[in-house]
Amino acid sequence: MTEIEKLACELIALPSVNPAFLPVNHPDAGEARVADFLAATAAKAGLDIEPQEILPGRSNILARLAPSRAVKRRILLAPHTDTVAAFSPDQFAPRVRGGRIHGRVACDTKGSIASMLGALMILARSQARPAATEIVFAGLIDEENAQAGSRALAASGFKADLAIVGEPTRLRVVTAHKGNLWLRLETRGKAAHGSCPHLGRNAVHEMSRIVDLLETDYARQLRKKRHPLLGCSTVNVGSIHGGGQPNIVPAQCEARLDRRTLPGETWSSVRNELERLLRRHNLRASIHTEKTGACHPMETSAESPLVRIFFQAARQKAPVGAVYFCDASVLAHAGIPSLVFGPGDIAQAHTAEEWVGLAALARSTECLLKFFTSLP
Ligand SMILES: [Zn+2]
């Protein structure tokens, strides 16, 4: 087994489920086990360690490799250390078979953590350490829920010339991803006795017309705007709740939506668009946003010199986009140009049969090393 494969297996065996997805005090909850392991492993390799406690018992782990001469630039390697919950406890036991490591979060993102920290450890002991580039590995907490790790790192004033965010991209260099808005729409009617519906105003009926409009006209309208890497923005009505019992005209109804956004779309532009749509159809609802942190779309120019060097290292010509949201958005909006890159396929992420290919793991490390050793 290679050093990177061993690292990936050790990481899979350490549960680090985001506490948001588990009951309080569940033994699998929290990133602490992985953070401690990363700190110990990086320290042994001679890297400078800096834990950043973000929430009680939940720390980002920063590991730095100083350049051999003065610092001219800083590159950030940023995988997340939290995961979604396991389908069964034996998923935490990694199994190597058929050229793959199977196990919980093998691709989202313990494979990325292994190849990123592994690349840094290889550089630390080699003669090929970059002369003028400081490399910072940051194992970030809470990406799967509220991105507290990347948001705190960005708020601390941390700067870098480029961030490579570890997610399963099938080793493709992703320069853009969609944003994510969670919206709550609320209709208000007037309660009345179920035997006299004409005396009331039915909030569920009004919402059902709005839902129909969103899933037909509005979805069609969104399909007309296309981003070259990301396709169209989308809307999904995820839940609806209204009324209490059959014999009362419901006075209130709410629907919750997931709206994936393209670069240029913001919470206020989406709200204006929805308000115009409802007005046009003579419908009324109040519109609220639900996510606590902003989840903006992300787009990094593929033309900047550092990004071009990364493309060459990955032997990729054209940039690609991703539909999912990740820490790259948070870092990019804090002024750090960001790419997403890592072994594994998002199609397997969060599933019962997650795996990462051994060849992809090796190739990911190789690509990072090629990038760092090609920097001027
Ligand atoms: Zn992820």
Side-chain angles (χ1 to χ4, degrees):
M1 209 185 255
T2 69
E3 180 184 17
I4 311 292
E5 290 163 12
K6 186 167 166 282
L7 204 50
C9 288
E10 286 169 323
L11 286 161
I12 291 167
L14 296 172
S16 57
V17 178
N18 193 305
F21 309 139
L22 289 175
V24 183
N25 294 330
H26 191 285
D28 293 345
E31 299 90 344
R33 263 174 300 252
V34 165
D36 291 347
F37 172 79
L38 292 175
T41 308
K44 228 185 290 165
L47 303 171
D48 300 324
I49 310 302
E50 184 195 332
Q52 288 184 328
E53 189 169 58
I54 309 300
L55 293 164
R58 302 179 65 190
S59 299
N60 289 342
I61 287 293
L62 272 56
R64 290 168 200 270
L65 179 70
S68 53
R69 282 192 274 119
V71 180
K72 238 184 13 200
R73 69 176 74 79
R74 184 192 273 163
I75 308 285
L76 174 67
L77 299 176
H80 59 89
T81 52
D82 66 315
T83 73
V84 292
F87 288 84
S88 71
D90 62 356
Q91 278 192 298
F92 291 118
R95 296 170 314 281
V96 182
R97 59 165 197 263
R100 298 168 171 181
I101 305 175
H102 291 259
R104 190 67 187 137
V105 300
C107 74
D108 191 9
T109 59
K110 293 200 167 157
S112 282
I113 301 178
S115 80
M116 286 180 162
L117 186 65
L120 204 53
M121 285 159 48
I122 293 168
L123 279 178
R125 55 175 188 254
S126 79
Q127 300 303 315
R129 148 189 315 218
T133 305
E134 181 188 48
I135 309 170
V136 180
F137 168 94
L140 300 172
I141 64 156
D142 195 41
E143 189 274 343
E144 297 284 3
N145 184 45
Q147 302 84 43
S150 58
R151 290 183 199 281
L153 184 68
S156 73
F158 180 92
K159 290 288 169 223
D161 298 280
L162 181 70
I164 302 162
V165 173
E167 292 286 352
T169 68
R170 289 161 55 206
L171 300 178
R172 294 192 301 176
V173 186
V174 169
T175 58
H177 71 62
K178 290 185 186 180
N180 186 8
L181 281 172
W182 280 8
L183 305 176
R184 187 172 59 82
L185 267 56
E186 189 180 347
T187 51
R188 291 260 169 205
K190 189 172 158 230
H193 193 281
S195 63
C196 314
H198 58 283
L199 297 179
R201 208 171 58 248
N202 191 320
V204 168
H205 184 212
E206 178 141 41
M207 186 60 86
S208 69
R209 293 174 60 206
I210 292 174
V211 168
D212 184 48
L213 189 63
L214 293 172
E215 292 282 349
T216 55
D217 285 29
Y218 187 52
R220 243 188 325 269
Q221 181 184 326
L222 297 182
R223 283 198 291 272
K224 285 185 192 148
K225 291 187 281 199
R226 281 195 81 80
H227 182 279
L229 301 181
L230 300 174
C232 310
S233 49
T234 56
V235 64
N236 175 58
V237 180
S239 80
I240 181 163
H241 290 281
Q245 57 189 66
N247 59 356
I248 300 176
V249 175
Q252 190 266 349
C253 185
E254 74 169 34
R256 297 172 67 217
L257 328 179
D258 177 316
R259 171 73 163 78
R260 300 293 159 134
T261 53
L262 295 178
E265 290 184 319
T266 62
W267 150 231
S268 69
S269 75
V270 169
R271 183 181 48 198
N272 290 342
E273 185 178 81
L274 287 171
E275 280 171 351
R276 270 199 307 277
L277 178 82
L278 296 187
R279 253 197 318 272
R280 246 197 343 265
H281 289 81
N282 232 342
L283 293 163
R284 256 215 309 266
S286 56
I287 305 170
H288 313 268
T289 176
E290 277 203 334
K291 284 239 177 202
T292 42
C295 296
H296 304 290
M298 183 286 286
E299 189 167 31
T300 295
S301 164
E303 295 307 315
S304 84
L306 282 177
V307 175
R308 297 235 301 249
I309 297 172
F310 197 82
F311 269 97
Q312 279 158 12
R315 286 191 242 133
Q316 183 179 318
K317 290 207 170 64
V320 294
V323 291
Y324 52 84
F325 179 85
C326 72
D327 278 333
S329 156
V330 177
L331 299 171
H333 282 266
I336 304 174
S338 299
L339 303 174
V340 191
F341 174 81
D345 191 334
I346 198 72
Q348 272 121 37
H350 303 194
T351 68
E353 249 320 304
E354 208 172 318
W355 54 267
V356 66
L358 300 182
L361 208 53
R363 174 93 190 89
S364 168
T365 313
E366 222 173 84
C367 173
L368 292 167
L369 289 171
K370 177 102 195 295
F371 170 64
F372 287 123
T373 52
S374 334
L375 291 172

